[in-house]
Structures are given as C-alpha cells and as structure tokens.
Amino acid sequence: MLTEKSLEQTAGCGAQADRLARIIWARVTEPADPLLGAVLEVLGAVGALDWLNSVTHSAPGGADLPAELRNLDLPTRNRVLKSLNRWQPRLADVNLDREMRALAAFDGSVLTPQDSAWPLALNDLGHACPACLWIRGDISLATSLERSVAVVGARASTSYGEEVTAQFVTELCEREFTIVSGGAYGIDITAHRAALAVDGLTVSILAGGADRLYPRGNAHVLEQVANSGLIVSEHPPGSAPTRARFLTRNRLIAALARGTVVVEAALRSGALSTARHAVKLGRPLGAVPGPVTSMMSGGCHNLIREEGAVCVTDPAEVAELVGTIGRDLAPEKKAEEQTLFDTLNDDEAAIAEALPLRQAVSLESVARTAARSLDQTMATLAKLEMRDIACRDGSLWKRKI
Amino acid sequence: MLTEKSLEQTAGCGAQADRLARIIWARVTEPADPLLGAVLEVLGAVGALDWLNSVTHSAPGGADLPAELRNLDLPTRNRVLKSLNRWQPRLADVNLDREMRALAAFDGSVLTPQDSAWPLALNDLGHACPACLWIRGDISLATSLERSVAVVGARASTSYGEEVTAQFVTELCEREFTIVSGGAYGIDITAHRAALAVDGLTVSILAGGADRLYPRGNAHVLEQVANSGLIVSEHPPGSAPTRARFLTRNRLIAALARGTVVVEAALRSGALSTARHAVKLGRPLGAVPGPVTSMMSGGCHNLIREEGAVCVTDPAEVAELVGTIGRDLAPEKKAEEQTLFDTLNDDEAAIAEALPLRQAVSLESVARTAARSLDQTMATLAKLEMRDIACRDGSLWKRKI
C-alpha cells in the first residue's frame, strides 16, 4: 500500500515524497487529465495518492471524502469520483521499489514544480499541467526556454520545407533562440539537426519515455540532443508513445516554447494540434507559406487563413514574432534596386519623363506633356539640369540620361 | 475658343456637349486630378471648360470666379486656381475639329456618367473619378463587372505564378466571374489569356490609349480581348502609357473589379499599388502565397502580413472573397484520407490501441494500458468486437485489424 508514510519512508523527506508521489501519479494517469490537476491542487501529490490508495483498499463507500474535495463544486467532485475507476486499475500495478529502481537507472533527472529548473510557463496549462517531467541533459530547462521557439511540421516534409527549416533554425540559433521540437521525422528532426549543426541549443519533447528515443530512425540525432541540449518527457521511462500521447505531448511543446512556428503541414498534420494549443495558450503562432500547389503547405495556409497565424517568411520575422520587443524587431523589407525615378518626386519624374532622349523640345511642349504649369516646368528643368538629368539645346530641352 | 456655345454647336445637344467636354478634360488633365473632380462637381464638364477657357483668354485678373467656385473652401479654391496653370498649356493645344475626327476614327465608344454602361463603382473614387472612358468591345462595361475579380501580378512572373493564375482564372470563369487585369506581361496577360481560352469574359484596363495596345508583345492577345471582352482606358486615343499613368490606371482596376487578387509580386511590384487602392476603396483583397524562397511571392506575403490581404490558395477561396454571400461560400478544406482511428471516439481509440495484434491480453491489462475503468473497458471492447476491430481469445482480448 502506498500510504503517505510508505512514501516518506521510501523517499526520505517531504519534498522527496512529493517527487515520488508525482512520479507515481504519472504512472497512474494519462497526461493532461484535468481531474488529476484538480485533485493535486487541493490535496497535493502525496495527499492525493494517500486518498486514492485508501479509497482503493477500503470497502465500497467505506472511505471518507476528504474535506478539501467536498469543497469542490458538485460536477467536478462527481467527475473526480468517476476518475477513480480509471486510475485504480493502474494503481494496483504500482510498486514503490520498482519505481525507485527505475529512477536510479534513469540517466537523467525528474523535475517537479519545486525545482528551480521547472518552467513556470507550464502554469498556463492549468489542471492539464504534467505532474512531473523526466529530463535528459545537463542544462536548466527553465533557463534554456527563456528565449525559445518551437519549430514543428509535417513528417512527410518536402525538400522546400526542410530547406526553409534549416535556414530559419540556423539564423534563429545565431540569434540565441533555443529550438524546441518533437523529434519526429520530417520538419521536427530537420530543426533539431540544424540546431545541432551550428551548436545551437535544442530541446526535444517526446511522446514516450525519455529513455526511449522514438522514432528509432532519429535515435542518433536525439542522442546528440540529449548530449548538448535536453530531452523532455512527462512519461516515466519505458513508456510507449501512443496516439493519444502524441497529441498531449503537443500541448507541452506549445506551452514550453515562447512561440510556435509551423513550417509545413498537411491539412490534418499533428503539427496543427501544436499550433492550436499555442493559440489557446496565448503564445504567438507563425506559419510559413509555400506553393498553393503543395499539399504540405495546405495546413500552414489554413492556419493563416482561419486560425490567426502570422505569415512568416524569414527568420527575422520569426524572431520578431516570438522574441523580445525592442531586441527582435524585423527590419522592414525593401527591394534593393533603385532606378533614377526613385530619386525624383512626382513633379520631377513627370517632367523628366516628358523630356525626349533625342530630339530636344520646347519648354511649352514639356509642360504640356507633363501637365505642369510653365513656371513649375521651368523651375524643375533647372533642378534636373543641375543633377545632370536634363540638358539644354539652345532654348530647347532633352533628357541626358 | 472652346466656349459653351462652340461645344454645343459641335456636339449637337446638351448631353453630347457634356460628352465632348469630358473628352477635352481628359486631354487637358492627367488622371486622378482631384481638383478636376472638384471643379466638375460644382460647374459640370461644360461649365468648367467654359470657365477655364474664359480665364485663359482674358487678361490676368480679368475673369470672374464663378459663384459656385467661390463657395469652395479657401484651400481648395486656391488649389483650383493654381491648377489652372497646369491645365492651360494643354488647353492651348486642344482643337475641337481634331477631337471630333479622332472620335470618329476610334473603333469603339466613349462612356460618361450619363451612360447606363457607366459603372457606378467608379463613384467610390470621389474626385479622382475619370471624366470619361474609352471602350473597345460590344458589351456593357457595367454589366460585365457585376461579378468580377481583378487578377494582377508581377511582369517577371515565374512558371509557378503563371500556372496558379491559369488554374484560378479557368475556374473563376467557370463560376462566371469576369477577369479584370492590366494587359501587362506576366501575370496580367496570363490571366487574360486563360479567360479567353475558356471563353470567359475579360476586361483589360490600359495605361495608354485604347487604340494603342501596349505592350506590343501582348497586342495579339489584347486584340482578342477587344473582340470578345472589353478594352478600357481613361486616356484619349493615341495617348502614350507613362509611368504615372500606370499608377493611376491601377486605381481603375481596383475600383472597377469587385475585388483584387495578387498572384505574384515582388516587394516593389506595381501590382502592390493596385492592391493598396483596393484596400483604400474597401474592396476585398486576396494574395496568393508562394515559396518564401521566391522573390516573386515576397510582395504577396507582405500584403498578407502587413496590409490585411486574405491568403487565398484556390479559386473557391477567391470566389468566396469577392463573390456573393450565399452563392460563393468556399467548402471547408478537408483531407481525404481516413484511418480506422478517425471513426473511433477517444475512449474507443485508446482501448483499440491498447489491444495487442498478436498475443491476447486480459481485460485488466487493457484497462491499465488505456487508463480506463474496467467497466468502461469491457463495454467498449464489446462495441469494438461488434465492429470487428477487437476479438476474444478465451477470456483474453486482441485486435483484429
């Protein structure tokens, strides 16, 4: 039985007991269970586990509802009581010794809200906040995310999407952004790889255990991420990535990064769920446009059309979107070519254009063609003459360049 | 001298005198001259010309300011008086007989606000409204524009832009939209050509005289436009297309079409001026996204980012943007592929996924993996069994497909 006492005995002190209780809650629940969030809030991790335990091991109707839970509104209270049925089959399988051994064997650490490296951004998830996080890598998760952007997208990316990802990530790393992604084939792994290539910081958030680098084909890249950046999971080591876990994982990507950019996505790409979480969490969302003939840009265009994503076309625009006001303002885009006429005002341009290049003409003719008064034409011709644009031929005028 | 009397004598009646006066005003002014608009509003075309004429031929300070102009606010009045200097050099060159001969020689008609084919949409231009329009083609301009869209873009279009233009225009013609454009190389002429190819209606608005098909390389296509659609110009026959006239022409494209779509545009493309006129006139504006690596999509992306253009990715979205509410709603985009899991709700999906394909497992194991209660797992397994997704093996369960 996982009593409060057994937890404290196993873990050693109150803080450690809380950590261990959270690890067990991660075993007992699936991510983003809002009822777990509600229970943790009122009972704490240890108290909640103690209660679940006592309910599970007493005769039906035998255990008291703790006072704190009685204060919940009735619908929530009823849903919490129903959740017990969902949690109990897994609780029966939990073994404290085994958990401690798994923790000792894990080549990383467990973060809980008590730790300074716990990102406060997760508070925005409310009751869907994970109980704890398994981390591989030596740097502070909170610090690494201070300046960060999630770069996500289709598994079936095109070479266009991969090129854009690599180009964006390279420059975003130079601008000292941490690149957050999900380690999947396609855009995700291209983003991680591009960050690693320029010694940028990159964080991969997985849908299975942090010891279980998935998909296997990306394991070598994810190992490098673990070595120089961070691997993050809300699942205990050994957990399999399931369909539902990919979706709940996406909320973590959206919550942990300062903003999200979708590079390529088909109309039903998983990256769109990350995008929607970002919007729901009030994080900036960017989408990279592409050819309308490419299925893999369809999801991005839809985000721009329907879901308020900002159309981002270069790394500076991404930096402006997710970065710091004042530091990351994108320069206004200007075309470079400048013609003679760009240096002239409207009157000067009209009069310069009214001048023939070969056969010089009278002042009156220039004024007529340009639709300007004689006085203004004369004054402007004098200016254009000084700038070597117009020249006289007796009393007639023509253009010099 | 172009007195009111000489105009009426030449033209035959009041309405014809107004028409002739407007033709002369088009000679005397450059397009979008707001002061012409102000004068026409208070004096009418004939009266305004009569006044200009009398001022021009009297000694300085000798002509009276008409009562109607004295009612203008002082700054406008002063600017009108200054405009005289701009108009007079050209007025001196006007010859009534020559105008009548040019009109007789013109293979088309002149539209003025009195004509039923005059598009009321031009009212939105206020004082920048053209005095009259030269038209080639046999259909009513107003009618042809009732359901219309301007498709414009870069001269230096890419094959991507041309393909998209042709595809969009083809379908928009099938949806009975008239295609408005400017006859330029690149996107413009591709739009006209695609409309002609499917016997769609297309209107070309030129920056020079309607008899002067410019650019010459597109003359054969523009001849076809004149034959089956319309060529429109606010310039008298023979007028040269100048830089300024391309810009003022763009306001006509924006005003005449119900909405504007920019297919490709570099950051300083002339198509962007059409786009901005459309926004200023309250017309819907769409821009087609493209690869961020293409300079020719840079202007489109900028319109989407900075100027409120709607990102349009297919003809249905264009139709929805510029068409009629109720008739032209674009269908929601849906990906076609559907997997087994798309037909299941969350609980069913979790339980189906918890079933192994080979080695059958116990009910308890399924419940634990799926994080569902025993009751719910049992009920759902029964449903999945009926749908041939789950099957029993004694008291154990596995997945069937």
Side-chain angles (χ1 to χ4, degrees):
Chain A
M1 275 210 12
L2 296 172
T3 61
E4 195 163 337
K5 217 168 149 193
S6 68
L7 284 172
E8 294 215 351
Q9 276 166 355
T10 310
C13 72
Q16 286 305 95
D18 179 79
R19 187 178 309 266
L20 185 54
R22 286 174 175 276
I23 290 171
I24 290 162
W25 274 115
R27 282 264 184 239
V28 166
T29 58
E30 280 297 301
D33 187 330
L35 297 169
L36 171 61
V39 173
L40 288 190
E41 187 176 65
V42 294
L43 297 178
V46 174
L49 197 58
D50 209 32
W51 169 66
L52 173 63
N53 203 42
S54 69
V55 180
T56 306
H57 292 90
S58 56
D64 279 344
L65 196 63
E68 295 90 336
L69 287 184
R70 279 198 299 264
N71 291 336
L72 289 175
D73 61 282
L74 193 63
T76 308
R77 203 163 69 203
N78 283 337
R79 282 188 295 138
V80 166
L81 290 173
K82 272 191 82 173
S83 301
L84 293 174
N85 300 324
R86 204 163 64 222
W87 298 338
Q88 284 164 339
R90 284 200 180 173
L91 181 71
D93 207 39
V94 167
N95 176 309
L96 260 189
D97 288 344
R98 204 169 57 205
E99 286 304 331
M100 294 302 284
R101 280 198 307 275
L103 193 56
F106 178 60
D107 180 25
S109 54
V110 175
L111 278 188
T112 75
Q114 301 164 22
D115 297 303
S116 63
W118 179 264
L120 295 178
L122 291 174
N123 290 344
D124 293 346
L125 289 171
H127 284 168
C129 183
C132 58
L133 293 174
W134 279 261
I135 305 281
R136 287 177 61 189
D138 295 327
I139 43 183
S140 156
L141 179 61
T143 308
S144 71
L145 295 171
E146 267 167 23
R147 188 169 165 79
S148 60
V149 56
V151 177
V152 298
R155 285 177 177 73
S157 52
T158 70
S159 59
Y160 165 68
E162 289 162 19
E163 266 171 49
V164 170
T165 303
Q167 187 213 327
F168 278 34
V169 165
T170 301
E171 191 172 324
L172 288 165
C173 286
E174 280 161 12
R175 291 166 178 261
E176 299 182 307
F177 282 92
T178 297
I179 308 299
V180 178
S181 198
Y185 290 125
I187 301 301
D188 282 22
I189 202 68
T190 305
H192 289 309
R193 206 182 262 130
L196 291 169
V198 293
D199 290 327
L201 204 47
T202 186
V203 174
S204 188
I205 308 186
L206 301 186
D211 60 333
R212 202 168 160 161
L213 300 181
Y214 180 90
R216 292 305 301 162
N218 288 341
H220 59 293
V221 180
L222 294 173
E223 281 295 346
Q224 292 177 55
V225 172
N227 287 336
S228 74
L230 291 167
I231 298 279
V232 176
S233 172
E234 60 183 312
H235 298 283
S239 302
T242 65
R243 296 174 69 84
R245 288 173 185 171
F246 279 106
L247 293 175
T248 46
R249 185 275 313 266
N250 291 342
R251 91 192 187 292
L252 282 190
I253 294 179
L256 287 172
R258 282 297 176 98
T260 293
V261 171
V262 182
V263 181
E264 276 194 318
L267 285 173
R268 32 182 300 145
S269 169
L272 301 182
S273 96
T274 311
R276 286 178 196 126
H277 280 297
V279 171
K280 226 185 296 171
L281 290 164
R283 307 274 191 276
L285 172 66
V288 177
V292 298
T293 46
S294 166
M295 302 251 302
M296 285 300 136
S297 290
C300 291
H301 295 150
N302 222 43
L303 288 175
I304 294 169
R305 277 179 60 83
E306 311 281 349
E307 319 217 18
V310 172
C311 170
V312 286
T313 66
D314 65 24
E317 289 172 358
V318 175
E320 179 181 272
L321 182 68
V322 305
T324 314
I325 291 169
R327 176 169 174 191
D328 294 306
L329 190 67
E332 202 192 324
K333 287 205 175 184
K334 286 228 166 94
E336 277 163 38
E337 29 152 356
Q338 268 229 341
T339 69
L340 167 64
F341 283 92
D342 293 326
T343 67
L344 304 178
N345 66 32
D346 284 353
D347 293 328
E348 290 164 351
I351 287 166
E353 201 180 1
L355 290 173
L357 273 163
R358 298 195 194 165
Q359 188 70 50
V361 295
S362 68
L363 174 66
E364 289 73 18
S365 164
V366 176
R368 212 156 49 223
T369 307
R372 297 299 189 278
S373 71
L374 287 173
D375 289 352
Q376 185 177 22
T377 305
M378 189 61 234
T380 307
L381 281 172
K383 270 199 249 172
L384 294 175
E385 189 181 23
M386 288 203 300
R387 290 173 63 182
D388 262 348
I389 295 167
C391 64
R392 288 174 208 253
D393 184 357
S395 67
L396 304 182
W397 290 88
K398 63 179 185 175
R399 206 153 104 208
K400 212 171 161 185
I401 49 171
Chain B
M1 275 207 15
L2 296 171
T3 61
E4 197 163 336
K5 220 168 147 190
S6 68
L7 284 172
E8 295 214 352
Q9 277 167 355
T10 310
C13 72
Q16 287 305 96
D18 178 80
R19 188 177 308 266
L20 185 54
R22 287 175 175 275
I23 289 171
I24 291 163
W25 274 115
R27 281 263 185 240
V28 167
T29 57
E30 281 297 301
D33 186 328
L35 297 169
L36 171 61
V39 173
L40 287 190
E41 187 176 62
V42 294
L43 296 178
V46 174
L49 197 57
D50 209 30
W51 169 65
L52 174 62
N53 202 43
S54 69
V55 180
T56 306
H57 293 89
S58 55
D64 278 346
L65 197 62
E68 297 90 337
L69 288 182
R70 279 199 299 264
N71 290 336
L72 290 175
D73 61 283
L74 193 64
T76 309
R77 203 164 68 204
N78 283 337
R79 282 188 296 138
V80 167
L81 289 172
K82 273 190 82 174
S83 302
L84 293 174
N85 300 324
R86 206 163 64 222
W87 299 338
Q88 285 164 338
R90 284 200 180 172
L91 182 71
D93 206 39
V94 167
N95 178 308
L96 260 188
D97 289 343
R98 203 169 58 206
E99 286 304 328
M100 294 301 287
R101 280 198 305 275
L103 193 55
F106 178 60
D107 180 24
S109 54
V110 175
L111 279 189
T112 74
Q114 301 164 21
D115 298 303
S116 63
W118 180 263
L120 295 178
L122 290 174
N123 290 345
D124 293 346
L125 289 172
H127 284 167
C129 183
C132 58
L133 293 175
W134 278 262
I135 305 280
R136 288 178 60 190
D138 295 327
I139 43 184
S140 156
L141 179 61
T143 309
S144 71
L145 295 171
E146 267 167 21
R147 189 169 164 81
S148 60
V149 56
V151 177
V152 298
R155 285 176 177 72
S157 52
T158 69
S159 58
Y160 165 70
E162 289 162 19
E163 268 172 46
V164 169
T165 303
Q167 186 213 327
F168 278 34
V169 166
T170 302
E171 192 173 324
L172 288 165
C173 285
E174 281 161 11
R175 291 166 178 262
E176 298 181 309
F177 282 92
T178 297
I179 307 299
V180 178
S181 197
Y185 290 124
I187 299 301
D188 282 21
I189 202 69
T190 305
H192 290 308
R193 206 182 263 129
L196 291 168
V198 294
D199 290 326
L201 204 48
T202 186
V203 174
S204 188
I205 309 191
L206 300 186
D211 61 334
R212 202 169 161 160
L213 300 181
Y214 180 92
R216 290 306 300 162
N218 289 342
H220 59 292
V221 180
L222 294 173
E223 280 297 347
Q224 291 178 56
V225 173
N227 287 336
S228 74
L230 292 167
I231 298 278
V232 177
S233 172
E234 61 184 310
H235 299 283
S239 303
T242 63
R243 298 174 68 84
R245 288 173 185 172
F246 280 106
L247 293 174
T248 47
R249 186 274 314 266
N250 291 342
R251 90 192 188 293
L252 282 190
I253 295 180
L256 287 171
R258 282 297 175 98
T260 293
V261 170
V262 182
V263 181
E264 276 194 318
L267 285 174
R268 32 182 300 146
S269 169
L272 301 182
S273 98
T274 312
R276 285 177 197 127
H277 279 298
V279 171
K280 226 185 295 172
L281 291 163
R283 307 274 191 276
L285 172 66
V288 177
V292 298
T293 45
S294 165
M295 302 252 300
M296 284 302 136
S297 290
C300 290
H301 295 149
N302 222 42
L303 288 175
I304 294 168
R305 279 179 59 83
E306 312 280 348
E307 319 217 19
V310 173
C311 171
V312 287
T313 67
D314 65 24
E317 289 171 358
V318 175
E320 179 180 271
L321 182 68
V322 305
T324 313
I325 291 169
R327 175 169 176 192
D328 294 307
L329 189 67
E332 200 193 324
K333 287 205 172 182
K334 285 229 166 92
E336 277 162 38
E337 31 152 355
Q338 268 229 342
T339 69
L340 166 65
F341 283 93
D342 293 325
T343 68
L344 304 178
N345 66 32
D346 285 353
D347 292 329
E348 291 164 352
I351 286 165
E353 201 181 2
L355 290 173
L357 273 164
R358 298 195 193 165
Q359 187 70 50
V361 294
S362 69
L363 174 66
E364 290 73 18
S365 165
V366 176
R368 212 156 48 223
T369 307
R372 297 299 189 278
S373 71
L374 287 173
D375 289 352
Q376 185 176 22
T377 305
M378 189 62 234
T380 306
L381 281 172
K383 272 200 250 173
L384 294 175
E385 190 181 21
M386 290 202 298
R387 291 172 63 182
D388 262 350
I389 295 167
C391 63
R392 287 173 209 253
D393 185 356
S395 66
L396 304 182
W397 290 87
K398 63 179 185 174
R399 205 151 106 209
K400 213 169 158 186
I401 50 169

